[in-house]
Amino acid sequence: MVHVYNCHPFASQQIVQVEQEPGLVCCGGGALFVVATGGCKVEAYSVEQEGCPLICRFATMGTVRSIQHSKIGDYLVTIEEKNSATYLRAYTNWRYQAEEKARVGVRLLGHLLRGASVRGGVQMEIIEIPLSERPVAMACCSVTGDLLVGCENTLVLFTLRRQNQQNLQSQSQQNLQSPWPNAQQPSSHSQGQTSSSNQNFSALDFERSVIVHVPKITPKQVALCVGYVAVQAELEVLVLKLETPSESKTLDESSDTSKIADHLEDQTDFLLIPKHQELLGDRAKDCDIPVSIEKTGLEDKGQYTLSYVLFRRFTPEFFQGCSVEETQLHSLQLYPLFTSNQSVSTDRPACVFCFFSLPTAGYLYSLKGGVELLSAYQYPEKVLEAVLTDHLLHVITKSALQCFTVRCAAVAARIEDPYIDTTMKACPPSSLEVCALRMQLFIGLRSVCVYGRHVVLLSTADTETPEETERSTQRRGLELKEHTMLTGIFLAVGIDPATTPALESFLSRPFL
């Protein structure tokens, strides 16, 4: 006998009480970060305690347009706007605002790497990250803590550097001794008090390591994971891999890139219509997107080489309930997975997966050990956002949260034990079809993020913005006009669409 149970992946739910209307949310480090509408204040709530109590709140230097949290380094990075200018900033030691310490330090990128002294003790710091182009997207590596920033035609990689308290004190003493040799040094007693009070303090900084030029693609989203770099445009996804082998290979790579660029310049007189394209592994270098690298790091002596991993292009067309304008990729994600005998802090992940989604379909690729399409997801309705986890894929529509199974664990299990299929135990194949779990209804869903076993949803009572309402009203008017016109044409030739179900279904589709 087979018993069928109604599966529900969620044990409970709770509403987080916030003081102001939330505009953006992200989570990480056991905290939920809420940016109020208007974007100049961030509130942090604990998701690991009952009732989600407030941890701290702090003001930002501009209007926050995008925010992300890095698990490594426990820092926040934001894209902010102020006075018609766009800025990239990192907020470190933000937890010290919970102790109502009002002091906040502001410094430039690379300030600590150049041996600057740290004064004033432990405090929240804002790191200004200057860029030559306007930042449009960013991503943090969940394994190394490095930062990837997508600009209009470039990708900039920043390496995370950590300085502990002892190194900072030694650097500070050297800086004080070298320019003023006769100055009085602080006593050992005061130094002991400072080190004991700030024993666990470590300062973070970033080094601009490499710039990747992608002139043929405009980033909408980017992702980063232990050398894998992914960039997503409206209908294109490109995955690259940065490595640091010998210098000769780098020169060969740059020469190949120039040849591709010259070949594309010869075709500028032709009108090229993009088509569906999927290039995996070494074949991805045959795509029409030339890539070149520019090393800018001051301390890292390694030479970066670049290789193509995956390229996928979609053609704009009519999907279920989606117009051409709405047919855009979203939810780009590079997801690492470790086996049980690996250490997250020292080892590289056994598997790296790449996920991206269209409004009606999602695609999951495995990148390590050969690039292959692991699963393709077909959604029953238009999906706004999706988040991949170890065992589930969470997707949201305007009115529902739905979960799908994933086969990432099956890939990792076979890497850990290639002979797992025995008479005593077995593992389902990674090629097994995915299935949907129970759908949970909500009102006005806007975004979704995941931390551990917590799924955080942002919803609003007004399900449509004024721009969306005006656009949908215009679309309905055009659909009614074209339906009336086509019906009149069929009636003029003696055909009544109402008597033919297939013809009536054909006329119900939007054509404009």
Side-chain angles (χ1 to χ4, degrees):
M1 180 181 293
V2 177
H3 295 275
V4 179
Y5 295 94
N6 188 12
C7 297
H8 196 307
F10 306 111
S12 63
Q13 71 178 41
Q14 57 182 329
I15 298 176
V16 181
Q17 300 293 335
V18 296
E19 292 186 356
Q20 299 181 3
E21 180 182 355
L24 297 172
V25 295
C26 76
C27 50
L32 166 65
F33 302 95
V34 180
V35 181
T37 302
C40 293
K41 180 182 290 186
V42 177
E43 296 179 346
Y45 298 87
S46 175
V47 297
E48 297 178 338
Q49 299 182 25
E50 187 68 25
C52 297
L54 178 69
I55 299 176
C56 66
R57 64 169 58 92
F58 56 90
T60 59
M61 299 181 67
T63 302
V64 179
R65 299 304 182 190
S66 179
I67 182 171
Q68 282 199 15
H69 176 268
S70 173
K71 177 177 66 174
I72 307 299
D74 193 26
Y75 66 88
L76 288 168
V77 59
T78 62
I79 295 178
E80 304 177 12
E81 289 184 0
K82 188 175 183 180
N83 298 329
S84 301
T86 306
Y87 303 91
L88 181 69
R89 297 186 173 103
Y91 293 78
T92 67
N93 298 329
W94 54 270
R95 295 182 187 270
Y96 287 96
Q97 293 298 99
E99 301 176 7
E100 298 182 357
K101 294 185 177 181
R103 291 188 306 181
V104 176
V106 182
R107 55 185 169 90
L108 281 174
L109 167 82
H111 187 66
L112 293 181
L113 296 178
R114 292 189 290 267
S117 61
V118 176
R119 301 179 182 179
V122 182
Q123 60 184 0
M124 188 180 85
E125 291 188 318
I126 303 175
I127 303 176
E128 294 278 356
I129 305 178
L131 295 167
S132 59
E133 299 181 19
R134 184 177 67 90
V136 296
M138 61 190 176
C140 302
C141 178
S142 60
V143 179
T144 63
D146 295 343
L147 174 63
L148 178 68
V149 182
C151 300
E152 186 172 352
N153 288 311
T154 58
L155 306 174
V156 186
L157 177 63
F158 296 91
T159 304
L160 178 67
R161 304 296 187 189
R162 188 190 299 269
Q163 298 280 356
N164 57 29
Q165 179 66 17
Q166 294 179 354
N167 293 339
L168 291 174
Q169 287 181 354
S170 62
Q171 288 182 3
S172 178
Q173 291 176 3
Q174 292 175 2
N175 292 336
L176 289 174
Q177 289 174 359
S178 54
W180 301 289
N182 297 326
Q184 184 178 359
Q185 301 298 325
S187 63
S188 60
H189 177 69
S190 62
Q191 290 180 1
Q193 289 180 346
T194 304
S195 62
S196 61
S197 60
N198 301 332
Q199 185 176 4
N200 297 325
F201 171 61
S202 63
L204 303 180
D205 208 343
F206 297 91
E207 178 192 4
R208 185 183 283 105
S209 297
V210 66
I211 299 177
V212 181
H213 296 274
V214 282
K216 293 285 185 177
I217 189 170
T218 302
K220 297 295 183 182
Q221 285 185 316
V222 294
L224 176 66
C225 182
V226 287
Y228 288 94
V229 174
V231 55
Q232 172 187 292
E234 290 185 354
L235 291 171
E236 296 171 327
V237 173
L238 177 64
V239 181
L240 308 168
K241 188 174 183 181
L242 288 172
E243 295 177 307
T244 57
S246 62
E247 183 178 359
S248 60
K249 190 174 180 180
T250 305
L251 297 176
D252 296 339
E253 189 75 30
S254 60
S255 62
D256 293 340
T257 303
S258 62
K259 292 178 181 179
I260 296 175
D262 295 338
H263 177 67
L264 291 175
E265 289 179 359
D266 296 337
Q267 298 181 350
T268 54
D269 295 335
F270 298 94
L271 177 62
L272 301 178
I273 300 176
K275 61 180 180 179
H276 280 289
Q277 196 173 17
E278 182 186 36
L279 301 174
L280 307 180
D282 294 335
R283 293 182 56 205
K285 65 182 179 181
D286 297 330
C287 68
D288 57 353
I289 300 180
V291 179
S292 60
I293 58 177
E294 173 188 349
K295 185 178 180 299
T296 61
L298 300 178
E299 295 184 355
D300 191 359
K301 303 301 182 182
Q303 297 292 327
Y304 284 93
T305 61
L306 184 144
S307 58
Y308 290 80
V309 177
L310 167 66
F311 177 74
R312 185 75 188 263
R313 172 182 287 152
F314 299 88
T315 301
E317 58 185 21
F318 292 102
F319 286 88
Q320 303 172 4
C322 300
S323 63
V324 175
E325 293 79 9
E326 294 174 335
T327 306
Q328 295 184 7
L329 290 166
H330 60 78
S331 304
L332 176 66
Q333 192 174 353
L334 288 177
Y335 192 79
L337 194 61
F338 294 84
T339 58
S340 59
N341 55 5
Q342 281 187 302
S343 173
V344 179
S345 59
T346 59
D347 296 339
R348 286 181 171 265
C351 311
V352 177
F353 302 95
C354 179
F355 176 82
F356 50 88
S357 179
L358 285 166
T360 57
Y363 302 90
L364 177 62
Y365 286 86
S366 176
L367 301 183
K368 294 195 70 173
V371 184
E372 64 173 337
L373 177 62
L374 199 61
S375 303
Y377 297 87
Q378 298 297 325
Y379 307 135
E381 55 182 315
K382 178 185 174 183
V383 166
L384 303 178
E385 193 174 356
V387 179
L388 178 68
T389 63
D390 287 350
H391 304 288
L392 291 174
L393 173 69
H394 304 279
V395 302
I396 61 169
T397 65
K398 280 191 174 182
S399 59
L401 167 67
Q402 190 169 0
C403 303
F404 293 83
T405 56
V406 296
R407 304 303 176 198
C408 299
V411 176
R414 294 185 180 278
I415 291 178
E416 184 178 17
D417 184 6
Y419 307 100
I420 193 172
D421 292 325
T422 63
T423 56
M424 302 299 296
K425 60 179 180 179
C427 177
S430 59
S431 58
L432 191 67
E433 290 187 4
V434 295
C435 61
L437 301 180
R438 176 177 171 178
M439 181 183 296
Q440 185 74 17
L441 298 179
F442 290 91
I443 298 176
L445 290 179
R446 287 293 184 183
S447 65
V448 58
C449 57
V450 175
Y451 170 72
R453 297 182 178 271
H454 301 273
V455 178
V456 180
L457 302 174
L458 174 63
S459 62
T460 57
D462 186 10
T463 58
E464 286 189 350
T465 62
E467 293 79 6
E468 291 176 342
T469 304
E470 182 180 359
R471 192 183 305 117
S472 61
T473 302
Q474 294 176 354
R475 187 183 299 115
R476 283 194 295 267
L478 291 174
E479 291 175 359
L480 179 61
K481 182 178 179 180
E482 69 180 14
H483 183 274
T484 304
M485 180 181 64
L486 292 175
T487 302
I489 293 175
F490 281 106
L491 291 175
V493 297
I495 301 176
D496 187 4
T499 60
T500 308
L503 187 57
E504 183 68 21
S505 175
F506 173 76
L507 292 178
S508 64
R509 300 178 183 178
F511 295 95
L512 295 179

